[in-house]
Amino acid sequence: MFEHRWVSLWIALSILLSCGNIFALDDPLPSWNEGTAKNAILQYVKETTQEKDPNYIIPEERIATFDQDGTLWVEQPLYPQFVFILDRIKALAPQHPEWQEEEPFKSILAGEAGSLFQKASMKQMSAIFSAAQTDITTEQYAEIVKAWVKTAIDPKFKKHYTDLVYQPMIEVINLFKKNGFKVYIVSGSGQDFIRTYSEEIYGIPPEQVIGTAEKTSYTYLNGKPVLMKLPQLFFTDDKRGKPEGINLVIGRRPVAAFGNSVGDQQMLEWTQAGKGKRLEMLVHHDDAVREYAYGPESKIGTFSEALMAEAKERGWIVISMKNDWKVIFRK
Amino acid sequence: MFEHRWVSLWIALSILLSCGNIFALDDPLPSWNEGTAKNAILQYVKETTQEKDPNYIIPEERIATFDQDGTLWVEQPLYPQFVFILDRIKALAPQHPEWQEEEPFKSILAGEAGSLFQKASMKQMSAIFSAAQTDITTEQYAEIVKAWVKTAIDPKFKKHYTDLVYQPMIEVINLFKKNGFKVYIVSGSGQDFIRTYSEEIYGIPPEQVIGTAEKTSYTYLNGKPVLMKLPQLFFTDDKRGKPEGINLVIGRRPVAAFGNSVGDQQMLEWTQAGKGKRLEMLVHHDDAVREYAYGPESKIGTFSEALMAEAKERGWIVISMKNDWKVIFRK
């Protein structure tokens, strides 16, 4: 009799455990403080994934998009891809003696790149981007980026950029993935750049990365087919380019979108304008102690007053890094 | 004793059945005749999905790409999207009295569209495509295509185009999907067109459809954000455009690729040039009785002599519709 009871209990426990997280023992967002932002995320995932809920969304339609720079990892004092480009210009300089006299290359080589982002013309910026990233094959480019990512160190935190990923956002990505959402990065940075590390650091495969892209050309090198990266911008995945890029690559409207700046405004609008329950959130960099506090005046990651006003008007949730996040960086 | 035996047998059977296809009772390609083509597909899937096999491919890298027109469904006497465009020109004609005098619209409205594909200039073709498919929102376009697909009838088989899908290829798609491959359509036809029915008829979601695309523009209509389809070609997903489009959208090289014409040549080359076990196959339309027999001379779905020579040289497998397929169309 006594033995039977234990066996029954053991069977009952086995069944319960095998059915998963019935008692919700684990908090899927442990790095988030309790509050509006955390609740909104948990509530959204709960409502949209329970079949009996009026806000239920079928798995096929569960598309969540995340901006990268400033939303998933550090973007100050310069976007990491921009640091890569400056480093690459320096590395290529010996093959280009003419750069010593030619702007904007001259300033970069003289170590005066800091102000470049503010003062360079679009044409000059495009010259740097092309010099650093094109006229090589897609595979050569990927190798160069991979090597750079392994060695480059952020000037403030003295860590690799891939260590400066926001732990609370990784938890959100994982929560979405666990609940059948397809998670995309939708970034103004280059998609060929992000795709070299997205799977390893975010768990997001290359085919779920949408970003700014150069044209490529299919050709043959030593009899082998290759794709050459051309010095020609194909697509800018920023501002209105974000919904356009989402439509180009995904062909469906996201149901949830996360950003942090004016570059994400249209992606959030586009997401919200669809039918059914939607979620739009903006990361606000208001933590000068643990990361940065920057707002309307910043040229990088601008969170304009108009964006803040639109967020309030439309019910977009602003995430305070200072108040909502227990930790900033990935442990 | 007797009863116990039956219970044991029942338990054993339940376990076996729940473990799936242990005895390989089911042929995953029942519409294929035994032969080189069928064997190649079965062998490929077996080798690349068994962890101990030297040709094993990790699930993340299992990308298979399929051309659509002539590979997954009928493309003669005209690509179905082209028929849609002609129908749409006729439907829009009352709003465009000027078309009665203007080529190529005049010929279409006079019912002389048959030879149009051969004689129209690129500029004229582009004028028809734009008139039929742009200056509307992506959502309006999708509704129009969906309505057309439900009603349009193929002139030879007197069936909906979506019924003229090749059953043997559906079996290949399903076999790949079951074995952890991500299956993409990579087509010269419009991606916005294919995406309206791909999930329903092929089981391939919109985000796994790559095709020719017009530019879109994010704007507002009655205060609601929309994407307008612009009369401007953004990307042609044909010939060398296929590997370029695959790189743009997927960012990985396929391990298996299926086509049927010179438009697929570069996709197959690009697939084959990657590391590890690869599979390249071409559907040959050699069945005048059950479908069509067309070869080097056909303007649509050209299987040139050079392509046949390249297939032989590189070991690409040519599928004979006549000999390899028991049935042609979806049951």
Side-chain angles (χ1 to χ4, degrees), chain A residues 139 182 191 195 199 205-207 217-218 220 227 240 243-244 247-253 266 269, chain B residues 139 182 191 195 199 205-207 217-218 220 227 240 243-244 247-253 266 269:
Chain A
E139 289 183 336
K182 215 175 216 178
Q191 64 181 29
R195 281 170 171 175
E199 193 141 37
E207 62 268 29
S217 171
Y218 181 83
Y220 305 86
L227 288 168
R240 49 192 272 180
E244 291 164 11
N247 183 64
L248 179 74
V249 174
I250 312 180
R252 299 193 210 250
R253 197 191 290 255
Q266 290 84 351
E269 287 176 1
Chain B
E139 289 181 338
K182 214 175 215 177
Q191 64 181 28
R195 281 170 171 173
E199 194 142 37
E207 62 268 30
S217 171
Y218 180 84
Y220 304 86
L227 288 168
R240 49 191 273 179
E244 291 164 9
N247 183 64
L248 179 73
V249 174
I250 312 180
R252 296 193 212 252
R253 197 191 290 255
Q266 290 83 351
E269 286 177 1

Side-chain angles (χ1 to χ4, degrees), chain B residues 11 19 68 126 139 165 171 181 190 204 232 256 262 282 303 329:
Chain B
I11 291 173
C19 291
Q68 181 193 232
S126 141
E139 289 181 338
V165 165
E171 292 170 4
F181 286 77
I204 296 177
Q232 214 178 328
V262 291
L282 289 166
F303 198 131
F329 300 121

Side-chain angles (χ1 to χ4, degrees), chain B residues 29 32-46 279 281 317 324:
Chain B
L29 302 177
W32 291 70
N33 288 315
E34 300 305 320
T36 311
K38 178 174 181 172
N39 283 344
I41 299 164
L42 292 176
Q43 189 66 19
Y44 184 78
V45 171
K46 196 179 152 196
L279 181 67
M281 299 188 82
I317 293 158
D324 286 318

Side-chain angles (χ1 to χ4, degrees), chain A residues 3-28:
Chain A
E3 201 185 311
H4 269 193
R5 255 193 218 159
W6 281 109
V7 170
S8 304
L9 188 62
W10 178 80
I11 291 172
L13 266 174
S14 303
I15 291 169
L16 283 172
L17 288 171
S18 72
C19 291
N21 196 9
I22 283 179
F23 300 114
L25 289 170
D26 300 320
D27 177 357

